[in-house]
Amino acid sequence: MNNNRQLTAYLQRFSIFIVLIVMFLACSALSPYFLKTNNLMNIARQLCVGILIAYGEMILIVSGFLDLSIGSVLALAGVLSVAAYKSTGSMLLAILVALVVGILCNLFNGIFVAQFQVPAFIATLGMQQIARGIALYFTGGANILQIGKYVNVGQGMMGFMPIPVIIVIVITVIVWYMFNHTRYGRSLYAIGGNRKAAEASGINAKKAIYVSYIINGMLAGLAGVIFMARNNSGLPNGAVGYEMTGLTAAIVGGTSFSGGVGTVMGTVAGAFIIGFLENIMNLLGVNSYIQNIIEGAIIVVAVAFDIMSKSRKSSKRIMAADDIQKQTK
């Protein structure tokens, strides 16, 4: 019995990585082009923006919130960053502009969510419209072209590694450390699991929410720089729907939509699963509208699976408690 339980726990813990391996093998079998070096490198570059967004969404979802504005904030931070670079020629200033824009937009979200207790869905939906509107107004709806060496952040190489991949690896280590070895990271799980109990234990939930949105904003700003650099232009209409990309990667990677559960490596695995799926559908010539349908279905199924899993665990806990009560009578 104990062996069966250990096997079940092991499979549950590593199921997302098993799915990732199966997906990789299936894609390799479906298309001879999938394993080509250029294709795998392309997947890695494309996933960089998605992984950064997924980290931001994961941080918020674990603590019981979300962000529907991250695609628009990414676009606004990106176009203002490109404009700053074209005006000054300073890449450092351009990156700082993107980070500041991302932080300011998410401070807006944090204030309304933490201070005024506006549902995160509503607050970030409003910011989605505001950020996109500012980006379009600033550029007049036109793309910013001829961005020069700015493209190196998204297209350049450092040795044999693409620069955006190196950036994402560094961010991954930082986010992993934050979740596993800091008081703030542990507090996010507590807030998402039971906010009232977390506050009763001395955790400052409001402060944690502000910090979560600020970190989310920094990740959105950095993703905006990489996105614009990869596309070789400032795109005010870029990254539409990317909030769903981040949400999907986080949820598929095991982050519970009801809060309190999620891992960095699971989110990375979820992003790769979505990336492999999108890539193989492109290689096989699947219609883009069909791809949207499939990705939407994945979100629904993943959330439904999460809800059913939690319901089963709750039922087991209730049954165990009933058994204990019967035994003590």
Side-chain angles (χ1 to χ4, degrees):
M1 182 66 72
N2 288 333
N3 289 336
N4 289 336
R5 288 179 178 176
Q6 289 177 353
L7 179 61
T8 300
Y10 182 85
L11 290 174
Q12 288 178 343
R13 182 178 180 183
F14 296 101
S15 59
I16 186 65
F17 302 104
I18 295 172
V19 172
L20 177 60
I21 293 170
V22 171
M23 175 67 76
F24 182 83
L25 294 174
C27 291
S28 302
L30 287 170
S31 173
Y33 301 104
F34 180 78
L35 289 177
K36 298 289 186 181
T37 302
N38 288 341
N39 184 60
L40 293 177
M41 193 68 74
N42 185 48
I43 293 173
R45 289 181 183 276
Q46 290 180 339
L47 280 176
C48 288
V49 172
I51 290 174
L52 292 177
I53 291 174
Y55 286 159
E57 294 289 6
M58 175 200 163
I59 290 168
L60 293 172
I61 296 172
V62 164
S63 54
F65 302 94
L66 82 167
D67 181 13
L68 295 180
S69 67
I70 197 165
S72 297
V73 172
L74 182 160
L76 175 60
V79 295
L80 291 179
S81 172
V82 170
Y85 179 79
K86 290 199 69 174
S87 298
T88 65
S90 171
M91 195 64 223
L92 177 60
L93 178 62
I95 293 173
L96 287 175
V97 167
L99 294 177
V100 169
V101 171
I103 289 171
L104 289 176
C105 290
N106 275 270
L107 269 178
F108 176 95
N109 290 333
I111 289 170
F112 277 86
V113 172
Q115 202 66 37
F116 297 104
Q117 298 183 351
V118 176
F121 177 88
I122 301 299
T124 59
L125 188 63
M127 176 50 68
Q128 181 188 78
Q129 296 296 103
I130 293 170
R132 185 69 66 180
I134 295 174
L136 291 168
Y137 179 80
F138 177 80
T139 61
N143 297 338
I144 302 176
L145 305 175
Q146 298 178 347
I147 63 176
K149 293 182 179 180
Y150 188 100
V151 299
N152 290 340
V153 178
Q155 300 180 19
M157 300 286 289
M158 187 174 291
F160 65 93
M161 290 281 285
I163 290 176
V165 173
I166 295 172
I167 293 172
V168 170
I169 290 173
V170 172
I171 297 298
T172 298
V173 173
I174 294 171
V175 176
W176 178 86
Y177 183 85
M178 180 191 76
F179 267 105
N180 292 279
H181 296 284
T182 68
R183 184 178 178 182
Y184 163 71
R186 291 189 291 272
S187 72
L188 295 183
Y189 290 109
I191 294 168
N194 189 323
R195 180 172 175 176
K196 290 184 178 179
E199 290 177 330
S201 67
I203 294 173
N204 189 332
K206 283 187 178 180
K207 180 181 178 181
I209 294 169
Y210 277 120
V211 174
S212 297
Y213 273 105
I214 288 172
I215 294 173
N216 178 59
M218 294 173 67
L219 292 169
L222 186 57
V225 173
I226 295 174
F227 179 86
M228 300 304 168
R230 186 164 61 82
N231 286 281
N232 195 23
S233 58
L235 306 175
N237 272 316
V240 173
Y242 268 47
E243 55 277 349
M244 300 310 297
T245 300
L247 285 169
T248 304
I251 294 169
V252 170
T255 303
S256 174
F257 207 67
S258 54
V261 178
T263 65
V264 173
M265 299 316 298
T267 300
V268 173
F272 269 94
I273 288 171
I274 300 302
F276 288 161
L277 179 63
E278 291 177 346
N279 182 258
I280 195 63
M281 287 193 294
N282 287 330
L283 290 176
L284 296 176
V286 177
N287 186 284
S288 60
Y289 302 131
I290 301 298
Q291 292 186 31
N292 290 335
I293 294 171
I294 293 173
E295 290 176 18
I298 288 172
I299 295 176
V300 175
V301 171
V303 173
F305 179 79
D306 173 57
I307 292 172
M308 289 188 294
S309 297
K310 285 213 162 186
S311 297
R312 283 198 298 268
K313 289 179 182 178
S314 297
S315 298
K316 288 179 180 179
R317 283 196 292 266
I318 292 171
M319 291 174 65
D322 290 340
D323 290 340
I324 293 172
Q325 288 180 347
K326 289 178 182 179
Q327 290 174 6
T328 55
K329 287 182 179 179

